[in-house]
Amino acid sequence: MGIWVSVKPFRKMPQITNLRLLLLSSVNHHHPLLRRKTLSFSSSFPVLPHLRKPIRSSEFPLLTTFSSYSKKPLIKNSYNKNSRSFHRKKSLLRDTEGKSSSSSTKGGSLAMEETTCNANDTGESIGFNRKRAEGRDASDRPKKNLQLKVRKLNPANTISYVQILGTGMDTQDTSPSVLLFFDKQRFIFNAGEGLQRFCTEHKIKLSKIDHIFLSRVCSETAGGLPGLLLTLAGIGDEGVSVNVWGPSDLKYLVDAMKSFIPNAAMVNTRSFGPRNDSNGAAISMFRKFDDPLILIDDEVVKISAIVLRPSQSEVNDPEMGLDETKPANLSVIYICELPEIKGKFDPKKAASLGLRPGRKYRELQLGNPVKSDRQDIMVHPSDVLGPSVPGPIALLIDCPTPLHLQQLLSVQSLTPYYADTAGNVPEDSKTVNCIIHLSPASVTNTADYQLWMSRFGAAQHIMAGHQMKNVEVPILKASARIAARLNYLCPNFFPAPGFWSLQHLKCLPSGLKDLAPGVGETVSAENLLKFHFRPYANLGLDKSGIPNLTSRSVIIDELLSEIPEIADWSQQLNQLWSGNIETNGKKTYMQANRGMTEEPWLPSSALPDCLEDVTRDDMEIVFLGTGSSQPSKYRNVTSIFINLFSKGSLLLDCGEGTLGQLKRRFGVEGADEAVRSLRCIWISHIHADHHTGLARILALRSSLLKGVPHEPLIVVGPRQLKRYLDAYQRLENLDMQFLDCRHTTEASLEAFDSNEDDAKFQKEKNGNSIHPEDERVDSNLFARGSRMQSYWKRPGSPTENAAALPILKSLKKVLVEAGVETLISFPVVHCPQAFGVALKASNRINRVGKMIPGWKIVYSGDTRPCPELVKASSGATVLIHEATFEDSLVDEAIARNHSTTKEAMEVGDSSGAYRVILTHFSQRYPKIPSFDDVTHMHKMCIAFDLMSVNLADLPLVPRVLRYLQLMFEDQTVIDESEDVDFETAAA
């Protein structure tokens, strides 16, 4: 356990005891001001007394803002990986009890860990975890050597089935995952984005996974792998390691992940099929390419693979969209064979052959011959066992294109699994019981594919290749349920209905057409559909676990039953947009296409000039993910979509599942258009919850724009991200250009703008220049005289700067086309190379020729409050600030270099931001975070997944917050039944 540093409490804010902190965190949601029963709704909105008092800017100066948390004790210096967050029953707050005295004996060395920075030389300071900001906290963690679990198998009495895990079936953004289940083993086929979130909701344990098989090595099938591996590596004290199998050299995939996943989590990689040599030429590990490759062969299952690879001449066909140099071109057929079931033992036959009951009976049942006890003969298993039953066989087919289909039809190694033309099974063949087709409808609907399907006789066919039927049933039912409720409450802020019907999805590809004669029973895959193998008596389909098709109307009826007042609340919010609501006797109205002009129910708040004559097609902020660390039932990880409508769009961070969230917000076809229109993607830092959805977005954009003249998409991010993207581009085309965040800071942009000639770069070569960013970081962000060399190292070589110049020019061009004047990154306090970003729109001219200033959006990324963020947020129209922790957990916020809700709002006050929207909540707050301070409610709101805030609606943002708090009353604490892992809940 670590040691806490005891610090003298700040005179205006006495130190709260650990017990009080714990009590506060558990009772905050019972605050009397927030209880529904104490509020009576009439035709006007209830006004709390706290909101009547005007907020004076003098009450929130910058120094006061930072003083409230400057003297908090810093979290322990022994910082292992498993202490990133907290178990429900083992908080770090509890660990502090009784340790203050021991910490004080350590002297100055531990006290130095609470590094602070001067703020305007006044003695006020900011508390943060210096070691984490520098990236040195990892050195204190015990090194894990993750090992594969040795499991004792039990082939005689086992339960076995395959199950559809449904990833991407409703949004059609990834390939569905399939679970092969045994009592002691688990096998996963494909790990698309959203797999973890799906398994969390349906309580499918991932800790017993031994092997992950990829039918193709690409973002569609492996997008969820980074997050899954991180979760497995963090299970328990030792972690869990798995074998990852793929039809190409997985070195590219491993290299791509090394920048943000511990190496130990990926040590067991298994490649098969052809590989490319150093020159890119294809080589084969095996003489005969289409022979089955045996991957697993133990007591319970034998798993083989057949690799499909179209000929190089065919791959070069541009119409097929395949690239022979990319491993993603390879596809796999997986064959899963269970051992035969031995016949029933006949004790009468055994007795007649002179055997006594006992050990020899068991040996015969295991297949071993024994010597008779009474006769001079050997007794063989066939003498006492009835006829054996062949073991069940399942096939997983991934045939993504017609070119792969041509290869599939010619594979001779599948011949033993075919039935004869009459549907009978030849004597020496193997009966296939179940075939799961991951192939898309464009392939499975062809006559050739269906004729090939008929070769398997009466096999059960499960069509999992994005069938239309699946779109109606949400993969994430809990999230869809909340989306439907929020849509009912306030459709203007929550336009996504949560549930889709087929009449809204006519653009989707049709489902399976009429089958060719001779094809066995065929069903569309559904979430949690099973096909049982063992016990043999249960052989066949099992639909008992499939979620029911719930309509939106049923969800709303339940909501009205639970909260009858919700109908009035919804009507009142709708009246805000229609302009008919009256409060305190004064009418609040909205002119056509304009923001609210009066706000008598709030303290005086002048409407920013940028909202004058604003239209609804200027800008919209869509929150695709509002949780931290890892996806949960109710909140996806971080991603913010800036919709500029006809001018394109921007993406700020891109956590796992971002594409799926885009499709839930805009529909399947609308999301494709949103991806096509992307102008730039900006990534704040290298933590996996902020960027692991990036490859899927880039790969889809590349595919959508194939054959269309376009420029590569510019990705701005920390320099470690480039390593990931460069390695990943060896797998599939990402069609992007990378720009380091350091080259988009204010000082760097000024330097590039004024020094685009060779003299600037020659001066750097001679070592005569010091990057202005270093000076600003050393003097403002961290303590004076302490150069963060391990954080920044050097600002960039002349070669890097020269390479960045043309990309910077391209970025400026696309931003101007999108109506954005500047994109400026600034360093924040979280981890090495963590940034926030400020976006400033170009000025515009209204209908009467008046110059209207452009809006300004600032996104904090993950950070402690810091001067750089306050400076960048000055005069912001919207500040989007992380608020990972509630106010009582400030110590945890300091330890993780995150912010509390109060700290985030104080930054907004200090910077003069017009509206502050909080996001990036710890998964300990399943639906709505705890928020105690009502002082700032005049300008804030809490973000939810799929929440869409139009620029024209910004004046209404605070009004919605009170309704949201009432709607989720008593739901701010974690549900004890939820399967949430707090070990990683606030990384």
Side-chain angles (χ1 to χ4, degrees):
M1 304 301 294
I3 298 175
W4 288 66
V5 181
S6 178
V7 181
K8 184 177 180 181
F10 183 62
R11 65 181 182 275
K12 293 184 179 180
M13 188 174 181
Q15 183 70 26
I16 301 175
T17 65
N18 298 330
L19 179 60
R20 185 180 176 190
L21 284 175
L22 292 172
L23 292 174
L24 280 175
S25 65
S26 64
V27 302
N28 282 338
H29 63 288
H30 295 298
H31 195 290
L33 291 175
L34 300 181
R35 295 193 60 81
R36 184 189 307 123
K37 295 181 180 178
T38 63
L39 300 174
S40 59
F41 277 79
S42 60
S43 61
S44 62
F45 188 78
V47 181
L48 296 177
H50 302 71
L51 298 182
R52 299 181 185 276
K53 180 181 177 181
I55 304 299
R56 300 185 181 91
S57 59
S58 60
E59 294 182 47
F60 296 92
L62 175 61
L63 301 184
T64 304
T65 299
F66 296 141
S67 67
S68 64
Y69 45 80
S70 62
K71 302 296 184 180
K72 293 292 181 181
L74 192 70
I75 300 301
K76 52 190 181 179
N77 72 320
S78 178
Y79 194 75
N80 60 43
K81 183 175 181 180
N82 285 334
S83 66
R84 285 184 179 177
S85 194
F86 330 109
H87 284 297
R88 191 178 293 114
K89 298 182 179 180
K90 188 179 179 183
S91 171
L92 281 180
L93 286 175
R94 295 178 174 87
D95 295 340
T96 66
E97 189 172 356
K99 292 190 177 182
S100 58
S101 59
S102 63
S103 65
S104 62
T105 63
K106 296 298 180 180
S109 61
L110 286 180
M112 286 296 291
E113 295 304 323
E114 185 184 8
T115 306
T116 58
C117 71
N118 296 329
N120 298 343
D121 299 324
T122 62
E124 301 294 347
S125 57
I126 305 169
F128 68 97
N129 186 336
R130 179 184 179 87
K131 295 185 71 173
R132 185 176 180 87
E134 292 178 324
R136 294 188 293 114
D137 55 336
S139 61
D140 289 338
R141 304 170 190 164
K143 300 298 182 182
K144 285 188 177 182
N145 183 19
L146 302 186
Q147 301 293 331
L148 286 171
K149 298 294 184 182
V150 178
R151 309 191 193 279
K152 185 177 180 180
L153 305 180
N154 184 5
N157 300 306
T158 187
I159 296 174
S160 177
Y161 54 80
V162 288
Q163 185 173 31
I164 304 296
L165 297 188
T167 306
M169 292 178 68
D170 59 343
T171 51
Q172 308 199 350
D173 58 310
T174 63
S175 177
S177 297
V178 179
L179 169 69
L180 176 57
F181 178 95
F182 294 94
D183 288 336
K184 304 293 184 180
Q185 283 184 305
R186 309 287 191 274
F187 303 90
I188 293 284
F189 295 86
N190 288 343
E193 292 183 21
L195 175 61
Q196 265 197 104
R197 198 176 181 194
F198 179 86
C199 292
T200 298
E201 174 160 349
H202 296 286
K203 302 188 185 306
I204 297 173
K205 299 295 184 182
L206 299 173
S207 57
K208 291 186 178 180
I209 294 176
D210 292 310
H211 301 271
I212 298 174
F213 299 91
L214 304 178
S215 64
R216 282 174 285 131
V217 184
C218 60
S219 58
E220 183 182 353
T221 61
L225 193 58
L228 179 59
L229 292 173
L230 278 171
T231 298
L232 293 175
I235 291 177
D237 295 330
E238 299 180 359
V240 178
S241 186
V242 298
N243 283 305
V244 180
W245 301 81
S248 66
D249 192 343
L250 290 178
K251 175 180 178 296
Y252 304 137
L253 188 61
V254 176
D255 287 346
M257 297 179 186
K258 281 183 178 178
S259 58
F260 58 93
I261 292 184
N263 291 339
M266 282 291 296
V267 295
N268 300 295
T269 56
R270 305 287 187 267
S271 303
F272 56 87
R275 296 181 179 178
N276 292 337
D277 61 18
S278 58
N279 298 322
I283 59 176
S284 180
M285 296 170 55
F286 306 93
R287 292 181 180 178
K288 200 169 182 180
F289 186 51
D290 64 352
D291 283 345
L293 313 175
I294 300 175
L295 310 180
I296 304 291
D297 193 0
D298 57 28
E299 301 96 315
V300 297
V301 69
K302 174 184 175 182
I303 299 179
S304 307
I306 299 175
V307 181
L308 301 179
R309 181 177 188 176
S311 65
Q312 294 186 5
S313 59
E314 294 172 332
V315 171
N316 288 332
D317 186 352
E319 295 183 1
M320 292 300 175
L322 299 178
D323 186 343
E324 67 179 70
T325 65
K326 301 298 181 183
N329 179 47
L330 300 177
S331 184
V332 180
I333 301 170
Y334 285 107
I335 305 171
C336 305
E337 302 178 74
L338 277 65
E340 67 176 9
I341 302 173
K342 301 293 184 181
K344 186 176 181 180
F345 181 79
D346 189 340
K348 292 182 179 180
K349 286 186 177 181
S352 67
L353 293 174
L355 289 173
R356 297 189 184 95
R359 178 182 58 83
K360 293 183 179 181
Y361 278 22
R362 178 61 177 169
E363 289 295 322
L364 287 168
Q365 293 179 52
L366 292 175
N368 302 320
V370 299
K371 184 175 178 59
S372 173
D373 296 316
R374 297 187 179 94
Q375 303 176 29
D376 188 17
I377 61 173
M378 291 295 295
V379 181
H380 297 274
S382 59
D383 298 330
V384 295
L385 297 178
S388 299
V389 178
I393 299 175
L395 271 60
L396 285 88
I397 311 294
D398 190 353
C399 184
T401 71
L403 292 183
H404 290 85
L405 175 57
Q406 295 176 25
Q407 178 73 11
L408 174 64
L409 298 177
S410 64
V411 171
Q412 297 299 314
S413 53
L414 285 174
T415 302
Y417 301 93
Y418 294 149
D420 62 19
T421 55
N424 301 317
V425 179
E427 185 175 343
D428 58 344
S429 70
K430 303 177 180 180
T431 303
V432 177
N433 301 90
C434 175
I435 304 177
I436 299 176
H437 300 267
L438 303 177
S439 311
S442 59
V443 174
T444 59
N445 284 338
T446 63
D448 286 342
Y449 194 92
Q450 294 186 23
L451 181 61
W452 176 80
M453 290 171 59
S454 67
R455 296 184 182 183
F456 294 95
Q460 174 71 63
H461 296 274
I462 300 176
M463 313 306 294
H466 295 164
Q467 301 298 306
M468 179 185 286
K469 175 181 178 181
N470 298 316
V471 183
E472 291 186 289
V473 184
I475 293 294
L476 308 171
K477 197 171 182 178
S479 177
R481 181 185 180 88
I482 283 189
R485 289 180 165 216
L486 290 171
N487 174 255
Y488 175 83
L489 175 67
C490 186
N492 302 88
F493 272 8
F494 303 96
F499 294 82
W500 300 95
S501 57
L502 288 179
Q503 57 261 34
H504 295 103
L505 301 165
K506 295 179 181 178
C507 61
L508 292 182
S510 60
L512 192 68
K513 297 180 180 178
D514 294 336
L515 298 177
V519 177
E521 182 182 355
T522 303
V523 298
S524 290
E526 297 182 71
N527 304 338
L528 303 180
L529 174 68
K530 291 180 181 178
F531 188 94
H532 282 282
F533 297 137
R534 302 279 170 79
Y536 186 74
N538 296 336
L539 183 69
L541 287 175
D542 178 3
K543 298 184 179 182
S544 62
I546 296 176
N548 296 326
L549 177 60
T550 304
S551 65
R552 182 180 182 276
S553 60
V554 173
I555 301 296
I556 302 307
D557 289 343
E558 293 176 354
L559 175 63
L560 292 171
S561 176
E562 294 175 16
I563 312 175
E565 308 97 318
I566 198 77
D568 292 336
W569 301 348
S570 178
Q571 183 178 2
Q572 291 169 25
L573 285 173
N574 287 334
Q575 288 175 344
L576 286 178
W577 271 264
S578 62
N580 297 322
I581 194 168
E582 294 186 3
T583 56
N584 292 340
K586 296 182 180 180
K587 189 172 183 180
T588 300
Y589 62 95
M590 292 182 65
Q591 298 179 359
N593 294 327
R594 294 192 61 178
M596 186 176 290
T597 58
E598 284 188 86
E599 295 175 291
W601 50 277
L602 292 175
S604 58
S605 176
L607 199 69
D609 293 339
C610 65
L611 296 185
E612 183 177 344
D613 289 331
V614 66
T615 61
R616 301 197 65 82
D617 58 357
D618 280 351
M619 186 273 291
E620 177 186 49
I621 306 172
V622 181
F623 293 88
L624 302 176
T626 56
S628 67
S629 181
Q630 65 186 45
S632 72
K633 284 176 62 174
Y634 305 107
R635 293 184 183 271
N636 200 49
V637 286
T638 302
S639 184
I640 302 169
F641 182 77
I642 308 298
N643 188 4
L644 303 174
F645 297 96
S646 61
K647 296 180 180 179
S649 58
L650 307 172
L651 202 55
L652 309 181
D653 280 335
C654 189
E656 177 185 338
T658 293
L659 178 57
Q661 293 292 87
L662 275 174
K663 297 200 173 193
R664 293 179 181 98
R665 168 61 181 86
F666 295 106
V668 175
E669 191 175 51
D672 287 347
E673 182 56 37
V675 172
R676 285 192 195 95
S677 68
L678 278 172
R679 298 285 188 169
C680 173
I681 299 179
W682 182 91
I683 304 297
S684 61
H685 61 291
I686 198 64
H687 286 166
D689 57 323
H690 290 258
H691 73 81
T692 48
L694 182 58
R696 186 76 192 103
I697 292 285
L698 293 173
L700 176 62
R701 179 181 180 273
S702 177
S703 175
L704 292 172
L705 295 177
K706 198 170 189 69
V708 178
H710 67 280
E711 295 294 328
L713 187 64
I714 297 177
V715 176
V716 182
R719 64 174 176 266
Q720 308 106 307
L721 183 64
K722 186 176 188 299
R723 177 184 177 185
Y724 168 66
L725 294 174
D726 286 346
Y728 207 99
Q729 288 201 104
R730 300 289 298 272
L731 296 172
E732 57 183 330
N733 292 320
L734 298 183
D735 194 20
M736 50 75 62
Q737 289 181 303
F738 182 81
L739 188 62
D740 194 328
C741 280
R742 297 175 303 163
H743 291 134
T744 61
T745 62
E746 185 174 14
S748 295
L749 292 174
E750 290 175 355
F752 277 118
D753 288 340
S754 60
N755 298 283
E756 292 184 358
D757 54 76
D758 293 337
K760 168 68 169 64
F761 300 112
Q762 185 61 42
K763 185 178 180 181
E764 291 183 339
K765 288 180 181 179
N766 295 333
N768 295 326
S769 66
I770 297 177
H771 202 285
E773 191 176 59
D774 279 337
E775 289 296 322
R776 187 171 73 256
V777 171
D778 285 337
S779 61
N780 292 335
L781 187 55
F782 298 99
R784 289 185 183 275
S786 174
R787 295 187 60 81
M788 300 288 288
Q789 291 295 333
S790 62
Y791 180 89
W792 287 105
K793 297 185 179 179
R794 298 301 300 167
S797 67
T799 302
E800 290 177 348
N801 292 336
L805 183 57
I807 305 177
L808 274 171
K809 291 181 178 179
S810 298
L811 176 62
K812 184 175 181 179
K813 177 176 178 292
V814 298
L815 290 178
V816 169
E817 293 173 353
V820 177
E821 184 178 282
T822 57
L823 181 155
I824 298 177
S825 303
F826 53 89
V828 295
V829 183
H830 181 60
C831 67
Q833 298 184 63
F835 293 87
V837 67
L839 300 171
K840 175 69 168 60
S842 304
N843 296 340
R844 54 188 172 88
I845 300 177
N846 66 5
R847 291 170 293 181
V848 297
K850 180 181 178 182
M851 181 69 72
I852 306 297
W855 46 261
K856 180 180 180 180
I857 296 176
V858 177
Y859 169 47
S860 69
D862 287 4
T863 183
R864 291 290 297 147
C866 60
E868 286 287 332
L869 176 56
V870 175
K871 177 183 176 182
S873 305
S874 177
T877 314
V878 181
L879 169 60
I880 304 171
H881 200 299
E882 72 116 296
T884 309
F885 294 101
E886 61 184 284
D887 298 338
S888 62
L889 300 180
V890 65
D891 294 308
E892 281 86 342
I894 293 174
R896 307 294 180 263
N897 281 344
H898 283 296
S899 300
T900 66
T901 52
K902 181 179 180 181
E903 289 172 336
M905 288 309 306
E906 288 175 337
V907 170
D909 278 344
S910 296
S911 63
Y914 174 63
R915 292 291 181 252
V916 181
I917 303 179
L918 305 183
T919 186
H920 196 269
F921 303 109
S922 168
Q923 304 296 14
R924 59 164 44 84
Y925 314 118
K927 296 178 182 176
I928 191 170
S930 175
F931 185 78
D932 306 322
D933 189 357
V934 298
T935 307
H936 305 285
M937 292 181 64
H938 66 288
K939 65 180 345 180
M940 71 166 287
C941 193
I942 291 172
F944 287 81
D945 282 17
L946 308 184
M947 177 178 171
S948 303
V949 181
N950 194 284
L951 184 65
D953 296 334
L954 284 179
L956 301 177
V957 163
R959 301 253 355 215
V960 179
L961 175 60
R962 295 295 298 132
Y963 291 98
L964 294 174
Q965 287 181 303
L966 292 169
M967 182 176 179
F968 293 106
E969 184 185 31
D970 298 330
Q971 298 183 40
T972 58
V973 295
I974 192 69
D975 183 351
E976 293 294 328
S977 64
E978 303 290 346
D979 185 18
V980 176
D981 179 16
F982 285 116
E983 287 297 328
T984 56

